[in-house]
């Protein structure tokens, strides 16, 4: 539907209200004018026609009157010609009247009719009738009169046509006109002719046949005309009941009197009786004709005239009423349109005024419209909107209040500033943080007040960039910068900025948090992550970073970098014997000493424990590196005075060079480690370079490790047993189980090579378990086969003691399963284990002791021994390391040491076993020193179990125990 009105809507939307209303008025005016013009034209046509008809009716009367008198003249002329001399006087009068009536009629005729041919021939005929009529015969007189009457009747019809009477639109009027103009005159003419013929016949006293025929014809025609007249009257009455009365009079008078004349003609003249006098007959006929004419002129024509006049008046009235109503309507249209215009524009003006008032802050202004139209709805909606704005404003005020209180109570400083940098907001926290009060800060440029100078330009650039481009990315960043306090000191702050549009400009809010504590804790965390707490040196992580940097720098400068892997010798022993505090102090001092040997640009780091590493950058030649390393060795060998304790240690240094030895960090470190390992294994307190041989050793080690993993499953381990001989008797009370690895490629590998590897990788736990099971099974077998009551010593590495999975319970259970006594097994531990502080180690040792398993201290004298530890546990045996036995000579220092150890051990309730006894002299010296047992190649090398059994063909029996013993043959073998 709306589609149809689209052009109208578009047009109306493009016009102002005055133009809209003007357009509507114009269109209404056009429509009304069009209606008025058409209506006026139609009514004017009606009026004009009516008036024309009225003129025609005005002429019809005189013409009829003239015809009436000429007819009368004809009748009198016929009577006179028939012999009625008495009619002569009347004829003269009538002639005068007829001519006067004719002249009157002629005077009324308009010029155009007078010019017509019809009228001219009427003039000729009239002159002939009135001038020559008296000389004519009665027949000629009758004919000439009748022609004149006929011409006048025809003229009358022509006149009625000229004045459009036959076209009258009203039904009643048109019937009356037909009766008055056509029918009645024609009937009266017939009656007139009858009068003439009748008067003549009666005057002559005879009637010829011609006249009889004429009279019959005329009476018949008259009768017909009477029917038409009655029909016209009847119809006019039907259509206009108001005409009922006068029309009934005309009908009655005319038809009834004409009927009487017709009856008289038939009865007296046509019957041939001719008994009525001509005068009488003329008088009767004339009376009827006159009465009829008098009805025509007195009633009928005035009636028509009246009807026409009424019609004209009616049309005129209609015209003026219509014009009046239309004019009134038009005035009303204009009136109400103007009213609508004012109502609309005034309401719009009210709305505009109210909107402006609200916009100017008078938020309680309301549009009060008196209308009840759509504008009222707009006004109501506007008022609702204003209410909504008030609610919103109230909420906003509340928000702002809350916002303000949040800002005021915020833990962070909040500083608001405009696009020019002028401070607009400054909360208490800001005052506290920067030292400026709110009053002092407001209006000041933010960058000058709270930013250190180096940040100011960047800040201004950033704000300018935002204001120019609208790009917020630079503004809305969380930054860590420095803040400037009133007293000039700087402190770290975290800054985030938000920006809002504010009254056409921008308002920036900077949230500033003092992160001094956070920074300090971050720094602390960073330091802890990158530095060694104890020595303050870079830790492993920092070291790797530095090394990476140094390698890059060296690449650029085409120089070398040296990595020195420094490991303190025997540090663990210092730590274990003198305590951690001294150990720590030693590490700190050692770190300082190492640092004192290098340049500032070099890096000294602690990798952990007693491992230090030095990066020497921009190395130009190897002697320079060696100088530094030698200096470190020298400084390390100097005495360390730690809490009054004089501590001596040394260091082993492994050196690798970048890029000669390796090109990546991992390889460099590995190589340095190996070089250090070489230095250590070469006797400590020395430096060693990474060499290709070292690399090979390392690779071999790696390969061996791989092979070692498969050795247990591949059944490549065997146990050899070395007898431990009681020196006094030569009885073999004991044997030490020593593992052997039969490598499929490399043949027999010494435990001295693979046990450290197994310890490093933890494989020693499984291997140790296997040795225990295998050795105890062997003991069982010897018991079963030979009845030997022999004890097997099993080496147990410290790693095994510390391992969760190798508790004493498992081994003891195993012994029980085999049905072996606990004393069948002794466990050899090294001195180092005693130094271990872990409670687990001590409890496990104790568990074995409690169960009856004997414990031997192996390799005594090689470690950083502390005699005090020997008191801690009840050890059963002390094995003097073969390094002492080897050099045993009478009166040698080793001899003295051995004797001292033996005495001390005996004092502590321990038996002594001397290891590595190879010569008879050693045996004798040891026997003399009171040593209990000996073990060594002098008696036997470690042997496979079956060979061991053959080795000892005899056995001795001590206290019921059946034992193998060393015989002369065995010794020589
Ligand atoms: P250890 O416990 O001190 O064993 C004695 C070592 O001295 C053995 O070396 C033995 O063959 C050797 N030996 C004995 N008498 C003489 C002699 O008269 N002259 C010389 N020069 N050497 C002699 P082996 O078998 O090579 O074992 C080396 C080390 O391997 C052992 O030293 C022990 O600490 C370790 N080991 C051997 N088997 C095992 C084992 O099953 N478990 C653990 N944890 N370590 C074992
Ligand atoms: Mg041993
Ligand atoms: Mg040993």
């Amino acid at each position: 539907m709306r589609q149809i009105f689209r052009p109208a809507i578009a047009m109306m939307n493009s016009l102002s209200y005055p133009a809209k209303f003007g357009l509507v008025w114009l269109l209404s005016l056009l429509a009304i004018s069009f209606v008025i013009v058409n209506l006026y034209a139609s009514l004017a046509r009606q009026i004009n026609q009516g008036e024309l008809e009225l003129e025609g009716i005005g002429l019809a009367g005189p013409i009829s009157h003239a015809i009436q008198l000429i007819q009368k003249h004809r009748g009198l002329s016929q009577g006179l010609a028939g012999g009625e001399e008495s009619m002569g006087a009347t004829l003269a009068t009538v002639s005068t009247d007829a001519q006067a009536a004719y002249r009157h009629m002629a005077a009324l005729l308009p010029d155009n009719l007078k010019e017509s041919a019809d009228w001219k021939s009427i003039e000729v005929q009239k002159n002939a009738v009135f001038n020559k009529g008296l000389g004519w015969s009665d027949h000629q007189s009758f004919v000439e009169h009748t022609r004149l009457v006929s011409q006048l009747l025809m003229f009358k019809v022509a006149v009625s046509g000229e004045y459009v009477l036959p076209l009258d639109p009203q039904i009643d009027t048109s019937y009356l006109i037909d009766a008055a103009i056509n029918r009645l005159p024609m009937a009266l003419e017939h009656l007139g002719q009858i009068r003439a013929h009748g008067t003549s016949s009666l005057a002559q006293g005879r009637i010829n046949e011609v006249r009889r025929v004429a009279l019959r014809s005329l009476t018949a025609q008259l009768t017909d005309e009477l029917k038409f007249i009655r029909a016209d009257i009847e119809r006019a009455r039907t259509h206009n009941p108001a005409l009922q009365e006068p029309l009934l009079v005309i009908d009655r008078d005319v038809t009834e009197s004409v009927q009487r004349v017709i009856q008289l003609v038939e009865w007296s003249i046509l019957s041939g009786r001719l008994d009525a006098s001509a005068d009488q007959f003329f008088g009767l006929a004339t009376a009827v004709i006159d009465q009829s004419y008098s009805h025509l002129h007195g009633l009928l024509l005035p009636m028509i005239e009246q009807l026409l006049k009424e019609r004209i008046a009616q049309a005129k009235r209609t015209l003026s009423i219509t014009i009046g109503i239309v004019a009134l309507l038009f005035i009303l249209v204009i009136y109400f349109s103007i009213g609508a215009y004012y109502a609309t524009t005034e309401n719009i003006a009210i709305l505009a005024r109210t909107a402006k008032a609200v916009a100017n802050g008078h938020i309680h202004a309301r549009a009060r419209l008196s209308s009840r139209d759509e504008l009222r709805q707009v006004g109501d909606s506007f008022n609702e909107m204003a209410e909504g704005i008030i609610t919103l404003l109230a909420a906003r005020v509340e928000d702002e209040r809350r916002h303000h209180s949040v800002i005021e109570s915020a833990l962070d400083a909040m500083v608001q500033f405009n696009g020019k940098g002028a401070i607009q907001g400054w909360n208490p926290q800001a005052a506290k943080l920067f030292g400026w009060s709110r009053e002092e800060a407001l209006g000041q440029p933010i960058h000058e007040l709270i930013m250190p100078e180096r940040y100011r330009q960047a800040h201004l650039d950033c704000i300018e960039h935002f204001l120019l481009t609208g790009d917020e990315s630079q503004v809305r960043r969380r930054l860590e910068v420095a803040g400037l306090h009133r007293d000039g000191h700087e402190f770290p702050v975290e800054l985030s900025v938000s920006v809002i549009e504010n009254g056409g400009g921008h308002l920036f809010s900077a949230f500033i948090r003092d992160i001094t504590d956070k920074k300090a804790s971050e720094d602390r965390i960073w330091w802890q992550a990158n530095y060694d707490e104890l020595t303050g040196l870079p830790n492993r992580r920092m070291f790797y970073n530095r090394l990476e940097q140094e390698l890059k720098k060296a690449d650029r400068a085409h120089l070398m970098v040296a990595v020195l892997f420094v490991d303190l010798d025997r540090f663990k022993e210092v730590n274990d014997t003198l305590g951690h505090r001294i150990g720590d102090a030693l590490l700190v001092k050692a770190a300082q000493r190492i640092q004192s040997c290098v340049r500032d640009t070099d890096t000294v780091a602690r990798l952990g424990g007693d491992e230090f590493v030095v990066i020497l950058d921009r190395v130009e030649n190897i002697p320079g590196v060696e100088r530094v390393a030698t200096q470190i060795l020298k400084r390390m060998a100097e005495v360390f005075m730690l809490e009054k304790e004089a501590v001596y240690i040394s260091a082993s240094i492994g050196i690798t060079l970048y890029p000669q030895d390796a090109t990546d960090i991992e390889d460099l470190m590995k190589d340095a480690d190996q070089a250090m390992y070489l230095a250590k294994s070469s006797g400590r307190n020395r430096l060693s370079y990474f060499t290709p041989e070292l690399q090979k050793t390392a690779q071999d080690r790696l390969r061996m490790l791989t092979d070692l993993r498969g050795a247990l499953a591949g059944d490549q381990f065997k146990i050899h047993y070395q007898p431990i001989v009681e020196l006094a008797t030569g009885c073999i009370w004991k044997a030490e189980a020593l593992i052997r690895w039969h490598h499929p490629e490399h043949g027999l590998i010494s435990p001295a090579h693979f046990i450290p590897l197994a310890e490093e990788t933890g494989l020693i736990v499984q291997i140790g378990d296997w040795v225990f099971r295998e050795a105890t099974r062997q003991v069982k077998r010897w018991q079963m086969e030979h009845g030997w009551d022999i004890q097997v010593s099993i080496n147990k590495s410290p790693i095994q003691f510390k391992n969760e999975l190798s508790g004493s319970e498992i081994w003891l259970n195993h012994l029980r399963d085999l049905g072996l006594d606990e004393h069948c097994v002794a466990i050899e531990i090294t001195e180092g284990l005693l130094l271990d502080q872990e409670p687990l180690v001590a409890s496990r040792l104790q568990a074995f002791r409690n169960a009856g398993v004997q414990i031997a201290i192996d390799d005594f004298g090689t470690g950083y021994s502390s005699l005090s530890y020997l008191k801690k546990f009840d050890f059963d045996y002390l094995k003097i390391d073969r390094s002492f036995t080897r050099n045993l000579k009478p009166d040698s220092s080793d001899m003295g040491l051995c004797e001292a150890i033996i005495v001390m051990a005996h004092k502590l309730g321990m038996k002594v076993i001397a290891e590595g006894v190879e010569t008879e002299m050693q045996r004798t010296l040891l026997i003399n020193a009171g040593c209990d047992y000996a073990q060594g190649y002098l008696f036997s090398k470690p042997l496979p179990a079956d060979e061991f059994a053959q080795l000892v063909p005899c056995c001795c029996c001590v206290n019921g125990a059946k034992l193998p013993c060393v015989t002369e043959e065995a010794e020589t073998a």
Side-chain angles (χ1 to χ4, degrees):
M1 185 66 178
R2 203 173 180 275
Q3 292 294 326
I4 301 168
F5 293 98
R6 195 180 277 273
I9 292 168
M11 172 133 182
M12 284 299 168
N13 277 339
S14 69
L15 295 177
S16 66
Y17 268 98
K20 281 191 229 279
F21 282 103
L23 182 69
V24 173
W25 293 338
L26 194 70
L27 290 175
S28 314
L29 185 66
L30 280 175
I32 290 167
S33 305
F34 185 73
V35 170
I36 289 177
V37 167
N38 276 331
L39 196 68
Y40 182 82
S42 157
L43 289 171
R45 214 168 30 247
Q46 263 188 47
I47 292 165
N48 287 342
Q49 187 181 346
E51 284 175 343
L52 196 62
E53 283 181 56
L54 211 54
E55 265 182 64
I57 292 295
L59 285 175
I63 295 170
S64 277
H65 188 60
I67 289 170
Q68 180 192 1
L69 288 172
I70 290 165
Q71 285 168 334
K72 198 172 184 179
H73 189 269
R74 181 179 57 189
L76 288 169
S77 297
Q78 285 295 300
L80 190 64
E84 279 290 327
E85 291 299 330
S86 58
M87 288 184 183
T90 317
L91 179 65
T93 316
V94 168
S95 175
T96 310
D97 290 349
Q99 287 186 67
Y102 183 87
R103 278 195 300 278
H104 175 65
M105 172 192 70
L108 291 173
L109 286 176
D111 292 343
N112 63 326
L113 287 176
K114 277 197 234 169
E115 298 298 317
S116 68
D118 288 347
W119 180 252
K120 283 185 178 147
S121 72
I122 287 169
E123 280 270 279
V124 172
Q125 187 64 22
K126 183 262 314 178
N127 289 333
V129 167
F130 286 107
N131 297 335
K132 299 178 203 166
L134 291 175
W136 289 336
S137 67
D138 63 340
H139 176 68
Q140 192 181 359
S141 170
F142 178 79
V143 169
E144 293 301 336
H145 275 90
T146 302
R147 182 179 294 139
L148 179 58
V149 168
S150 179
Q151 281 177 331
L152 282 170
L153 283 171
M154 292 301 288
F155 184 70
K156 190 179 168 189
V157 170
V159 168
S160 81
E162 186 73 21
Y163 287 91
V164 297
L165 286 166
L167 298 176
D168 188 90
Q170 203 85 22
I171 294 173
D172 52 351
T173 322
S174 83
Y175 283 122
L176 291 179
I177 288 170
D178 185 54
I181 304 297
N182 300 323
R183 302 298 172 190
L184 190 55
M186 194 51 76
L188 292 176
E189 170 54 12
H190 292 323
L191 192 59
Q193 286 182 32
I194 289 168
R195 180 179 61 183
H197 283 301
T199 305
S200 177
S201 298
L202 289 172
Q204 286 172 6
R206 61 180 171 84
I207 181 165
N208 61 22
E209 212 37 46
V210 176
R211 198 157 255 160
R212 193 188 298 273
V213 170
L215 274 173
R216 282 197 198 284
S217 163
L218 285 168
T219 52
Q221 284 177 29
L222 180 60
T223 307
D224 286 346
E225 284 302 336
L226 279 179
K227 280 183 197 159
F228 285 123
I229 288 166
R230 297 193 82 172
D232 280 342
I233 287 172
E234 185 64 34
R235 283 174 189 143
R237 268 169 49 204
T238 310
H239 284 96
N240 192 347
L243 304 176
Q244 189 90 347
E245 277 297 311
L247 286 178
L248 275 177
V249 172
I250 292 167
D251 182 36
R252 190 186 61 230
D253 287 358
V254 173
T255 52
E256 281 177 12
S257 55
V258 170
Q259 284 296 336
R260 267 201 315 276
V261 173
I262 290 168
Q263 281 169 10
L264 184 64
V265 169
E266 282 175 351
W267 194 79
S268 181
I269 299 167
L270 288 175
S271 65
R273 259 186 234 119
L274 302 169
D275 48 357
S277 75
D279 207 22
Q280 247 182 337
F281 177 73
F282 182 80
L284 175 68
T286 301
V288 170
I289 289 168
D290 284 352
Q291 190 190 24
S292 297
Y293 271 114
S294 107
H295 280 329
L296 175 65
H297 295 136
L299 282 175
L300 207 49
L301 285 176
M303 199 184 290
I304 293 167
E305 206 173 71
Q306 186 59 32
L307 284 172
L308 285 172
K309 279 182 181 166
E310 277 177 14
R311 188 163 3 127
I312 289 166
Q314 178 67 32
K316 283 184 176 169
R317 240 188 346 267
T318 307
L319 183 61
S320 48
I321 287 172
T322 308
I323 288 173
I325 289 173
V326 167
L328 192 68
L329 282 176
F330 183 63
I331 288 166
L332 282 176
V333 166
I334 290 181
Y335 179 77
F336 285 112
S337 296
I338 290 173
Y341 167 72
Y342 281 122
T344 308
T345 50
E346 275 168 15
N347 282 343
I348 289 170
I350 291 172
L351 281 172
R353 253 196 328 273
T354 318
K356 204 171 229 166
V358 171
N360 287 338
H362 304 288
I363 52 168
H364 292 285
R366 292 291 174 274
R368 309 217 182 277
L369 304 185
S370 46
S371 66
R372 290 192 192 136
D373 55 9
E374 288 77 356
L375 279 177
R376 172 67 173 266
Q377 288 178 11
V378 174
D380 292 347
S381 302
F382 176 85
N383 293 342
E384 277 173 31
M385 185 186 78
E387 292 297 335
I389 288 172
I390 288 177
T391 314
L392 269 178
L393 280 177
R396 204 161 130 188
V397 166
E398 177 61 17
D399 269 2
E400 267 175 15
R401 200 186 57 73
R402 258 189 248 139
H403 183 219
H404 185 73
S405 91
V406 166
I407 288 172
E408 288 299 298
S409 59
L411 293 176
D412 290 342
M414 196 187 134
V415 181
Q416 288 178 309
F417 57 98
N418 62 18
K420 290 179 182 148
I423 293 174
Q424 310 281 295
W426 184 261
N427 73 353
Q429 197 59 27
K432 201 169 145 195
L433 200 60
F434 295 103
W436 300 97
S437 71
R438 183 196 296 271
E439 291 68 31
E440 288 168 331
L442 290 182
Q444 297 297 317
I446 182 171
H447 54 285
E448 284 178 18
L449 200 70
I450 62 166
M451 288 181 196
E453 200 154 348
R454 62 183 181 284
Y455 292 125
R456 290 177 189 170
Q457 195 51 48
H459 164 79
L460 293 173
D461 292 348
C462 177
I463 297 295
E464 191 183 347
H465 172 77
F466 166 72
L467 292 174
L468 285 175
T469 63
D471 173 16
E472 294 184 6
S473 61
Q474 306 235 333
V475 177
R476 290 184 186 273
R477 277 186 303 166
R478 188 175 283 268
L479 296 171
E480 285 191 4
V481 289
L484 180 66
H485 191 268
R486 182 180 195 156
D487 63 14
H489 87 264
E490 291 183 12
F491 54 97
V493 293
E494 189 180 79
L495 169 74
S496 65
V497 178
S498 70
V499 57
I500 52 166
E501 280 192 37
N502 182 22
H506 289 92
L507 187 66
F508 299 86
S509 298
F511 301 88
I512 305 162
R513 178 174 296 179
D514 182 356
I515 52 168
T516 307
D517 292 345
K518 185 183 152 210
K519 270 274 162 212
S521 110
E522 273 176 11
D523 288 350
R524 202 163 46 247
I525 289 167
W526 183 85
W527 195 87
Q528 282 167 353
N530 291 285
Y531 284 86
D532 172 45
E533 192 100 20
L534 180 67
T535 59
L537 293 178
N539 64 9
R540 181 182 291 273
R541 180 193 164 100
M542 176 67 114
F543 163 75
Y544 275 95
N545 281 341
R546 293 251 179 107
L547 185 55
E548 202 179 330
Q549 301 303 322
E550 293 304 337
L551 298 189
K552 282 181 188 159
K553 274 198 247 166
D555 281 343
R556 284 197 291 272
H558 302 291
L559 289 170
M560 292 187 291
V561 173
V563 176
L564 277 58
F565 211 107
V566 182
D567 193 281
L568 305 188
D569 300 326
R570 296 182 184 276
F571 168 74
K572 188 168 165 41
E573 286 150 24
V574 174
N575 205 22
D576 292 341
T577 49
L578 300 177
H580 284 296
R581 218 178 52 240
I582 301 277
D584 287 353
L586 174 62
L587 287 173
V588 173
K589 288 245 162 112
Q592 288 165 354
R593 287 189 190 177
I594 296 171
Q595 214 153 18
S596 70
C597 301
V598 301
R599 298 165 294 181
D600 285 349
T601 52
D602 297 328
T603 299
V604 178
R606 180 180 172 215
L607 298 187
D610 57 353
E611 286 179 353
F612 294 88
V613 65
V614 179
I615 306 169
L616 301 179
D617 66 342
R618 286 170 295 152
V619 170
E620 284 162 5
N621 51 43
I622 294 168
V625 176
E626 199 161 315
R627 256 198 313 279
V628 175
T630 313
Q631 178 66 12
I632 293 172
L633 287 176
K634 188 171 152 261
R635 297 284 337 258
M636 286 297 133
E638 289 170 9
V639 64
F640 285 90
M641 284 309 297
L642 307 167
E643 295 184 5
K644 295 180 190 158
E645 291 268 4
V647 176
Y648 290 92
I649 56 156
S650 59
S652 300
I653 302 179
I655 303 171
T656 39
L657 295 166
Y658 174 85
Q660 284 92 320
D661 296 338
T663 50
D664 74 69
I665 291 177
E666 288 308 318
D667 288 347
L668 267 180
M669 290 303 290
K670 204 173 72 214
D671 295 350
D673 188 34
Q674 280 171 20
M676 187 277 290
Y677 186 75
L678 180 70
K680 266 218 187 306
S681 58
S682 311
R684 299 170 177 155
N685 192 23
R686 66 195 64 213
L687 60 88
S688 167
Y689 287 99
F690 176 75
T691 59
E693 294 76 45
L694 259 183
Q695 196 168 15
K696 187 174 175 307
T697 313
Q699 281 166 359
D700 288 349
R701 233 164 80 86
L702 199 68
R703 215 169 295 128
M704 191 195 285
L705 188 67
T706 318
D707 295 345
L708 189 60
R709 289 184 202 282
L712 207 57
D715 200 19
Q716 293 166 7
F717 291 122
K718 292 279 175 298
I719 298 180
H720 286 192
Y721 298 90
Q722 188 175 34
I724 299 170
V725 179
E726 190 178 35
L727 284 171
T729 59
C731 283
I732 302 173
W733 283 91
K734 307 163 173 295
E736 181 171 4
L738 294 160
I739 192 167
R740 297 290 176 264
W741 180 13
H742 288 275
H743 192 280
E745 280 175 41
H746 307 304
L748 200 67
I749 297 177
S750 157
H753 285 111
F754 70 84
I755 289 292
L757 208 58
E759 285 178 334
E760 258 173 52
T761 56
L763 276 172
I764 191 67
V765 176
Q766 289 152 274
I767 294 172
D769 277 355
W770 179 83
V771 170
F772 176 76
R773 282 162 202 277
E774 187 57 34
T776 47
R777 265 202 298 274
Q778 188 55 51
V779 174
K780 183 73 187 171
R781 242 178 268 136
W782 282 330
Q783 275 189 7
M784 306 286 283
E785 286 171 14
H786 307 290
W788 289 345
D789 191 6
I790 196 165
Q791 185 190 52
V792 176
S793 283
I794 293 163
N795 294 284
K796 188 163 184 175
S797 144
I799 307 293
Q800 285 171 274
F801 269 98
K802 289 178 194 163
N803 189 277
E804 296 283 324
L805 298 172
S806 77
S808 49
E809 274 304 297
I810 300 170
W811 283 18
L812 295 172
N813 287 342
H814 181 70
L815 286 179
R816 255 169 254 136
D817 290 348
L818 284 176
L820 281 179
D821 254 12
E822 282 77 8
H823 79 266
C824 291
V825 176
I827 289 173
E828 296 191 8
I829 59 165
T830 53
E831 287 173 278
L833 186 69
L834 299 179
L835 306 175
D836 208 303
Q837 301 288 322
E838 268 194 52
L840 189 72
V841 174
S843 75
R844 282 187 177 164
L845 261 180
Q846 199 58 51
F848 280 121
R849 283 281 302 145
N850 294 346
V853 176
Q854 293 193 311
I855 310 281
I857 296 190
D858 204 356
D859 305 339
F860 187 80
T862 55
Y864 200 87
S865 331
S866 169
L867 293 176
S868 62
Y869 284 107
L870 294 178
K871 287 196 293 182
K872 249 168 92 178
F873 289 101
D874 295 334
F875 295 110
D876 301 284
Y877 304 100
L878 191 153
K879 293 181 85 172
I880 300 175
D881 190 68
R882 73 167 183 274
S883 56
F884 297 101
T885 321
R886 190 169 34 210
N887 304 318
L888 270 188
K889 285 182 195 117
D891 302 326
S892 64
S893 63
D894 281 341
M895 187 63 230
L897 212 55
C898 281
E899 283 170 348
I901 291 171
I902 291 163
V903 171
M904 178 200 71
H906 284 165
K907 284 264 181 226
L908 291 171
M910 286 184 275
K911 303 268 186 201
V912 180
I913 303 168
E915 289 185 306
V917 178
E918 293 180 354
T919 64
E920 198 53 48
M921 184 181 72
Q922 288 166 348
R923 177 165 77 159
T924 311
L925 287 172
L926 286 166
I927 290 171
N928 293 341
C931 183
D932 305 286
Y933 300 93
Q935 177 184 354
Y937 295 168
L938 175 66
F939 309 104
S940 168
K941 288 198 170 180
L943 295 171
D946 47 347
E947 286 181 37
F948 183 88
Q950 287 165 19
L951 170 76
V952 281
C954 75
C955 55
C956 57
C957 206
V958 180
N959 298 335
K962 194 180 170 200
L963 299 165
C965 68
V966 183
T967 62
E968 285 303 314
E969 297 91 287
E971 274 177 43
T972 47

